[in-house]
Amino acid sequence: MWISDQWKDYRILDCGDGEKVERWAEQVLVRPDPQAVWHKRANVSAWKKADATYHRSSSGGGRWDIRRLPKQWDVHYRELTFRIKPMSFKHTGLFPEQAVNWDFIDRTIRAANRPVSVLNLFAYTGGATLAAAAAGASVCHVDSSKGMTQWARENAQASGLADRPIRWIVDDCRKFVEREIRRGRKYDGIIMDPPSYGRGAGGEVWKIEDDIADFVELTSKVLSDNPLFVLINSYSAGLAPSVMAYLLGTTVADKFGGTITCDEIGLPVESTGYALPCGNTARWCADGKA
């Protein structure tokens, strides 16, 4: 497992019984986590002292029970700054386990020692976009949500990256890639974190198990003649790391060579010393250091 263990502003204090208790800077939150099937530690006082708890509803969705919590606040990872706030369906606007992928993006771009252009698809609030921009790349950030894209721009501003060469695109990712192919635009690195399920503005249905293979093949057509890396992340239980690695092998490695690695990504748990699995990632890298 690739573990995001370099955080100073984020910690999982404990997890169990389908929940996790986390510290986000000075704020402590309790949120559901279906992976935490074991029992929580009774001696962890944070469970009873949380600033806010997200309660799931048996009929779907849920609600926040807030004792004391600012409307929003900042957390920092290395030189990056992210605005955090409680959202519907338990989210906060950041997936801290992705830091291990941000580190890969950073070191890969810096080691290239050449201009690098990166396409970030399903880019959400911009964690990978900021990591790539901070490392010196020009970035095209694409997400279908105007609100998430604006949030990403605010994160760039907070991180001192507002003047970096970032294109902020609100669009359906497939349609955007198809237009980039027609325009002949190419990228040295591609990042994607597609949802398990979604609906486009025109009623288009996305189901990752059915659509990911065609999408990866399509996206590989905007790779430059000298590409650097491709990274796929997924939170779908039906898409194992090895499946994504196989996709990269048949679409990218067959054409460009290089190396593919894949694994779960996770976060350390303070109370036990173990790691909580949080998602799956596969990486293709041209220089063999994926």
Side-chain angles (χ1 to χ4, degrees), residues 7-18:
W7 277 98
K8 300 186 185 302
D9 273 6
Y10 176 85
R11 287 285 187 276
I12 296 180
L13 305 176
D14 189 37
C15 55
D17 299 312

Side-chain angles (χ1 to χ4, degrees), residues 48-289:
K48 298 180 180 179
K49 298 179 180 179
D51 298 300
T53 300
Y54 186 88
H55 298 285
R56 274 198 170 149
S57 169
S58 58
S59 59
R63 62 177 178 84
W64 284 97
D65 179 11
I66 297 176
R67 296 174 60 193
R68 54 187 179 274
L69 202 66
K71 185 177 180 180
Q72 67 177 33
W73 68 98
D74 291 350
V75 299
H76 307 278
Y77 184 77
R78 303 193 189 279
E79 73 269 42
L80 306 179
T81 299
F82 301 98
R83 297 279 157 82
I84 302 300
K85 55 187 174 184
M87 302 165 59
S88 61
F89 195 63
K90 80 177 182 178
H91 295 312
T92 63
L94 190 69
F95 293 90
E97 63 274 9
Q98 287 299 323
V100 73
N101 282 329
W102 305 337
D103 290 344
F104 162 78
I105 292 164
D106 180 274
R107 66 176 177 266
T108 303
I109 292 170
R110 292 182 190 275
N113 198 29
R114 62 178 171 92
V116 175
S117 60
V118 172
L119 174 62
N120 186 15
L121 299 167
F122 312 98
Y124 196 50
T125 59
T129 294
L130 302 191
S138 60
V139 187
C140 182
H141 172 112
V142 186
D143 196 277
S144 63
S145 169
K146 184 177 180 180
M148 292 300 105
T149 303
Q150 178 58 35
W151 195 338
R153 294 181 74 129
E154 293 170 8
N155 285 337
Q157 179 73 39
S159 298
L161 299 171
D163 62 345
R164 297 299 176 95
I166 304 173
R167 297 168 62 209
W168 303 101
I169 307 295
V170 178
D171 202 352
D172 175 84
C173 288
R174 180 186 294 276
K175 291 179 180 178
F176 178 78
V177 171
E178 288 171 345
R179 284 197 295 274
E180 292 291 84
I181 292 170
R182 292 195 295 269
R183 288 188 283 248
R185 195 185 297 269
K186 301 289 186 178
Y187 298 89
D188 303 304
I190 295 175
I191 304 159
M192 66 178 78
D193 191 355
S196 298
Y197 180 85
R199 258 182 206 282
E204 309 91 341
V205 175
W206 165 275
K207 187 176 180 182
I208 194 167
E209 290 87 352
D210 296 339
D211 297 322
I212 188 65
D214 287 343
F215 186 74
V216 172
E217 184 173 359
L218 178 74
T219 305
S220 70
K221 296 177 182 178
V222 297
L223 282 169
S224 68
D225 293 335
N226 188 23
L228 196 59
F229 71 93
V230 178
L231 185 154
I232 306 176
N233 187 80
S234 173
Y235 291 98
S236 172
L239 204 65
S242 56
V243 172
M244 295 187 291
Y246 201 105
L247 277 172
L248 288 176
T250 56
T251 54
V252 181
D254 277 0
K255 182 176 181 180
F256 295 104
T259 300
I260 299 170
T261 55
C262 63
D263 211 333
E264 293 179 293
I265 56 174
L267 288 159
V269 179
E270 190 172 277
S271 62
T272 63
Y274 299 128
L276 177 67
C278 300
N280 302 316
T281 295
R283 305 166 179 166
W284 171 85
C285 199
D287 67 3
K289 298 179 181 179

